[in-house]
Amino acid sequence: MAEGRPGVAATLQALNAALGRHSALWVKESGARNLRHRDFLAPRAALSAAFPGGQVPPEAVSAVPSLRGPAVLPLRVCRQTPAGLAVQVRRPEAFQRLLGPVPEPAAPAAGARTGCVVLHCPALRSSAALQPRHLRSVLVAEHLAQLLRAQGVSVRLVPALSEERSWDVLRQLRIYWPSGSGGSSLTDAVSALKAALDRCPCAAASEQGPGTAEGVICKVHLKSFVEQQGLMGYDPNLDVLLVTEGTLQSLAELQEAVLQCPVSDPMALPASRFPPSSCCSIVHVVNCEEEFQQQQLDVLWRILNPGAHTALQKHLVCGPVKVTNPSSPIGADQYFQLRKHQMYEASVMKYGELAQDEAWTEVIDTLTVAAIRFELLSTAHRSQITLDLENNSISTKGTKSGAFVMYNCARLATLFSAFQQAVQQGTYPPLPPVSELNFSCLREEGEWLLLFNYLLPFPEVLQQAAQLPPSSKGIRVTANTETVCKFLIQLSMDFSSYYNRVHILGEPFPHLFDQMFARLQLLGAVRDVFHSALATLHLPPLSQI
């Protein structure tokens, strides 16, 4: 059987099958203390629930080390312990399989289709200046788009940015959002929606009185439609919506985005569970203050275009962003400039005059973007974020910050730059092919921690972060948009601890080369994980800091 890249899910599945149970009995260990003794554990409580007296048949226990599979880790021993059934991995072989040549991905089947998701961010429709709460929903939508694309899903971002106003803060934050005017197709779509309004039994003419908003076309009774259709999860206060030209423009742009999606296989969407009649899935990414207005738009679209795609609308709601003791409401551009100034001051404090050099301008800009992205994305999107703008909470080395992640990424770049210079000077020979490396030299606790907790599960971390499982009832959906930031922060902490403790580029003695080369191969893979994860945040790796 060909051996592929090992994975956590495949190994856990094989372990559960070895005990003759489909339920999840096993867990992967992650703490350094437990990893000294075991890599996987079937806890005593789980075994007691699955087997009489908690006694696993001896033949099942003895069969565990012989488990094989393309994505199953090589297992060394399985034994009974007071904590439960413990398994250890054959670590040198695991290093070899995870750090060796990457197997070629399977070619997609002929005619294979990918799913399509339209991510709609209403915050970008407002004519008012963006505030931090708007930035949060925009960053969540953009990050989710990157995660979905990494899983082969086609993504369209809506609305297109108006060319009539400045979007400098988005450019400064490296938010790559489409722009454009829509053209004649959008005008035709608005006309079609007006025609649908004329035929709509829920619509009625709007009396033009002194208190009537300018530009109102008609009013639509939403509540009666929601009740007739038995729709779940909508605000009970939905009642009458005054429809304007702008309302129809928003719907027309959404409809155009759906029509431009490639013919898709909705079953290919990661954990989407959307019905197979759908051609596309629509997710409205809104802050909690916009949720009611977006529900109105949702229902109106269902009324005017009762197709499969409008029935599949979901709402991903971001919690509030509170600013501590603001003297006045702070805009997104002020927020960026404040954080940039704080990052500059922190860099000068740490690096002195060096940080005042012009070459550091790009470095400080990148650190600022990283700090803001991690500040707004490392918390679950449903939860409140509190921004303390009065105190300088930005640091170049605080372990929870984006700057700390970038700092450790730069340390890796410096390490490999120093190694290449030493090779050119003849101090070290070049890094040998991976097939010639001796991974049994990797015995330091931190080395297994980096491989087992980060390199091994990384592809599954990205998959899980891209999942969009809808709630069982209603219209809300949640996504694990904080996962990548938290993963990078924890990786940075464990890498930093290892790097501070272990000297990688040692004395140029041949008998030390085996260990140095194995460590460089491991850290090269760690660097690749940093770069891939940062790419989902539109953050370029730094070569120095």
Side-chain angles (χ1 to χ4, degrees), residues 175-475:
I175 295 172
Y176 302 105
W177 201 277
S179 60
S181 58
S184 60
S185 62
L186 201 59
T187 303
D188 293 342
V190 170
S191 298
L193 287 167
K194 285 181 177 178
L197 265 179
D198 292 338
R199 302 187 300 269
C200 176
C202 298
S206 176
E207 298 83 2
Q208 297 297 319
T212 306
E214 187 178 348
V216 172
I217 298 171
C218 67
K219 61 182 180 181
V220 177
H221 295 273
L222 306 179
K223 191 166 190 175
S224 58
F225 179 82
V226 170
E227 292 172 349
Q228 289 166 11
Q229 299 295 317
L231 300 178
M232 303 287 291
Y234 289 88
D235 192 303
N237 295 311
L238 284 181
D239 194 359
V240 175
L241 172 64
L242 299 179
V243 179
T244 66
E245 191 82 22
T247 310
L248 297 183
Q249 190 86 8
S250 299
L251 289 184
E253 191 169 1
L254 277 168
Q255 196 142 300
E256 284 295 292
V258 170
L259 292 174
Q260 291 168 15
C261 273
V263 176
S264 60
D265 175 9
M267 301 310 290
L269 292 178
S272 64
R273 303 184 209 145
F274 289 125
S277 61
S278 166
C279 65
C280 190
S281 307
I282 301 103
V283 179
H284 305 289
V285 184
V286 298
N287 65 62
C288 53
E289 296 179 20
E290 299 165 340
E291 185 180 10
F292 183 80
Q293 289 79 8
Q294 189 52 48
Q295 287 189 18
Q296 291 178 315
L297 202 68
D298 171 320
V299 176
L300 179 63
W301 197 15
R302 290 172 188 261
I303 292 171
L304 299 182
N305 190 343
H309 56 274
T310 59
L312 293 173
Q313 297 177 80
K314 293 292 176 183
H315 297 241
L316 189 151
V317 181
C318 297
V321 177
K322 300 293 184 183
V323 178
T324 57
N325 302 320
S327 55
S328 61
I330 185 167
D333 52 349
Q334 295 170 285
Y335 170 50
F336 177 84
Q337 294 302 329
L338 176 62
R339 286 294 187 235
K340 182 176 179 179
H341 179 68
Q342 291 171 340
M343 184 59 70
Y344 172 77
E345 289 187 330
S347 299
V348 169
M349 186 175 296
K350 179 174 175 58
Y351 300 106
E353 293 182 2
L354 182 67
Q356 301 179 45
D357 190 272
E358 285 186 10
W360 267 71
T361 301
E362 181 67 20
V363 172
I364 290 173
D365 282 348
T366 300
L367 290 175
T368 304
V369 173
I372 290 175
R373 282 181 175 266
F374 274 74
E375 191 168 37
L376 295 180
L377 287 173
S378 59
T379 300
H381 68 80
R382 303 169 298 282
S383 302
Q384 176 178 306
I385 292 175
T386 300
L387 301 180
D388 185 355
L389 303 184
E390 290 190 334
N391 297 319
N392 189 349
S393 56
I394 290 293
S395 165
T396 58
K397 209 172 177 182
T399 57
K400 301 297 183 182
S401 71
F404 179 68
V405 172
M406 303 304 288
Y407 167 73
N408 281 286
C409 190
R411 293 172 87 184
L412 279 165
T414 302
L415 168 69
F416 281 95
S417 176
F419 174 70
Q420 290 303 327
Q421 288 178 8
V423 169
Q424 292 168 5
Q425 294 166 2
T427 305
Y428 302 128
L431 190 66
V434 67
S435 58
E436 298 176 15
L437 298 180
N438 178 12
F439 291 110
S440 63
C441 296
L442 298 180
R443 302 189 190 93
E444 217 278 338
E445 181 178 278
E447 290 155 359
W448 181 245
L449 205 67
L450 289 172
L451 185 99
F452 196 62
N453 283 348
Y454 304 103
L455 301 187
L456 171 67
F458 180 59
E460 292 163 76
V461 167
L462 292 184
Q463 289 171 7
Q464 291 162 8
Q467 288 180 353
L468 283 172
S471 54
S472 56
K473 291 183 180 180
I475 56 174

Side-chain angles (χ1 to χ4, degrees), residues 27-60:
V27 295
K28 173 191 171 296
E29 294 288 7
S30 58
R33 179 179 297 179
N34 287 338
L35 286 174
R36 293 170 192 156
H37 313 290
R38 60 183 183 251
D39 299 311
F40 295 95
L41 177 72
R44 178 68 57 199
L47 295 176
S48 298
F51 297 95
Q55 296 300 309
V56 182
E59 60 272 17

Side-chain angles (χ1 to χ4, degrees), residues 74-98:
L75 306 179
R76 184 172 70 86
V77 64
C78 177
R79 63 181 185 276
Q80 292 278 6
T81 70
L85 208 53
V87 164
Q88 281 189 310
V89 172
R90 294 205 299 272
R91 294 185 175 184
E93 189 177 334
F95 276 112
Q96 182 72 47
R97 286 179 60 184
L98 280 159

